[in-house]
Amino acid sequence: MRLDELAREIGAEVGGDGSVELSAVNTLEDAQAGQVSFLSNQRYTKQLETTRASAVIVSQATKTTARVPLLRTVDPYFAFQKAMVRLHGHRNHPFPGVHPQAHVDPSANVGEGTIVYPGAYVGPNTRIGRDCILYPNVTVYDGCVIGNRVILHAGAVIGADGYGFATHDGVHHKIPQAGNVLIEDDVEIGANSCVDRGAIGSTIIGRGTKIDDLVMIGHSVRIGPGSLVVAQVGIAGSVTVGANTTIAGQAGIAGHLHLGERVTIAAKSGVISDIPDGATVMGMPAMPASHGRRVYSVFTQLPELLERIKHLEQQVENLTMIGGDEGVEVV
């Protein structure tokens, strides 16, 4: 499509020749003629001078002398998403019907527009809404409820037993996990992620939440709408997470905590206490980010600080030896 046509669809202003023909989206480094790229991180601004793209989506505030036509917009990353949808589209899921080798219980009722790929298992008394996608080898245990437009990537396990045991006289006795999992509309869960069922009641994944690959969500956790959970995060049981919270990669959340709304947890953080609304934390144990940056700036200097301490200790010892016989007090 023409550059000026794309600009109208993504809400951008054209700077340059609007008649340029575009057929795909690519990175600044790899783009070729006929492709549009984007700049959402200003650290890559210099690449505007070398890119071979036919046009680039940029922020309205971007300053550049590059000759490439620009599409200026308030939110270049969102504009990039719309350009991707327009020029590439989402993955096509053809539905030729039910494969003769599939086993479908006569009582099962698959939601309209929902695709269940080979090897997926859906247990009894489970409800799945419309326009969902269950990729190969997804497992949904009995009694779970999945809303509309939910995407479960390959290997995701929904509704496995939570990690609940009562230890008595050195023996770990399994606690029946009598709850289920409720996944609300427009949730996406990445490959090989696990959401355990509630011990009592439901584990709830709020509307519009996006969960990455290899994430572990314990029993009876409640995640508010619009949250982002990045790869290899582990959330222990009975945690509540407020709306629009971001938990970055490899963070760990101890059980029975409350995380407020709009919280940001940095990668590799270890959260062991409640976090108020709007807070940003980092580190192990997690602390306010402003304090954490100071802590880690000192942490990188520990070898030098240790040498200085040893040197000062030696100086104090020398002064003590010199003045010791005369009763000299060293302050």
Side-chain angles (χ1 to χ4, degrees), residues 273-295:
S273 58
D274 293 348
I275 301 177
D277 291 352
T280 298
V281 300
M282 62 181 296
M284 248 187 261
M287 62 195 82
S290 57
H291 182 67
R293 282 189 284 268
R294 294 171 58 196
V295 168

Side-chain angles (χ1 to χ4, degrees), residues 183-206:
I183 298 177
E184 297 181 349
D185 294 348
D186 301 302
V187 168
E188 183 164 352
I189 296 180
N192 295 320
S193 289
C194 300
V195 182
D196 285 351
R197 68 197 309 114
I200 300 173
S202 298
T203 300
I204 300 175
I205 310 299

Side-chain angles (χ1 to χ4, degrees), residues 104-114 116 122-123 125-130:
V104 182
D105 190 278
S107 65
N109 182 17
V110 180
E112 183 178 351
T114 288
V116 181
V122 179
N125 301 315
T126 290
R127 298 203 318 247
I128 298 178
R130 302 178 57 174

Side-chain angles (χ1 to χ4, degrees), residues 73-275:
T73 181
V74 174
D75 188 342
Y77 197 63
F78 181 53
F80 151 74
Q81 183 270 342
K82 291 193 286 187
M84 283 290 296
V85 172
R86 179 60 181 84
L87 293 173
H88 294 268
H90 293 286
R91 182 179 290 112
N92 184 32
H93 301 273
F95 181 65
V98 179
H99 194 279
Q101 292 182 340
H103 175 75
V104 182
D105 190 278
S107 65
N109 182 17
V110 180
E112 183 178 351
T114 288
I115 305 294
V116 181
Y117 272 81
Y121 169 80
V122 179
N125 301 315
T126 290
R127 298 203 318 247
I128 298 178
R130 302 178 57 174
D131 301 314
C132 295
I133 304 169
L134 277 63
Y135 280 102
N137 300 323
V138 164
T139 299
V140 182
Y141 279 61
D142 55 291
C144 294
V145 179
I146 297 176
N148 300 316
R149 299 174 301 280
V150 170
I151 299 174
L152 303 178
H153 286 279
V157 178
I158 309 300
D161 283 357
Y163 195 69
F165 302 90
T167 302
H168 180 72
D169 290 339
V171 179
H172 310 302
H173 299 272
K174 182 177 179 65
I175 300 172
Q177 303 294 290
N180 70 344
V181 173
L182 169 60
I183 298 177
E184 297 181 349
D185 294 348
D186 301 302
V187 168
E188 183 164 352
I189 296 180
N192 295 320
S193 289
C194 300
V195 182
D196 285 351
R197 68 197 309 114
I200 300 173
S202 298
T203 300
I204 300 175
I205 310 299
R207 174 179 49 81
T209 288
K210 312 300 182 184
I211 298 173
D212 203 354
D213 300 343
L214 299 170
V215 169
M216 172 64 220
I217 297 177
H219 58 183
S220 303
V221 168
R222 299 192 170 203
I223 298 181
S227 294
L228 300 174
V229 184
V230 187
Q232 299 183 354
V233 163
I235 304 179
S238 300
V239 170
T240 59
V241 179
N244 301 302
T245 285
T246 298
I247 306 176
Q250 296 188 335
I253 318 296
H256 301 273
L257 298 180
H258 174 73
L259 312 185
E261 297 184 354
R262 305 177 310 282
V263 165
T264 299
I265 299 173
K268 292 184 177 292
S269 295
V271 179
I272 60 173
S273 58
D274 293 348
I275 301 177

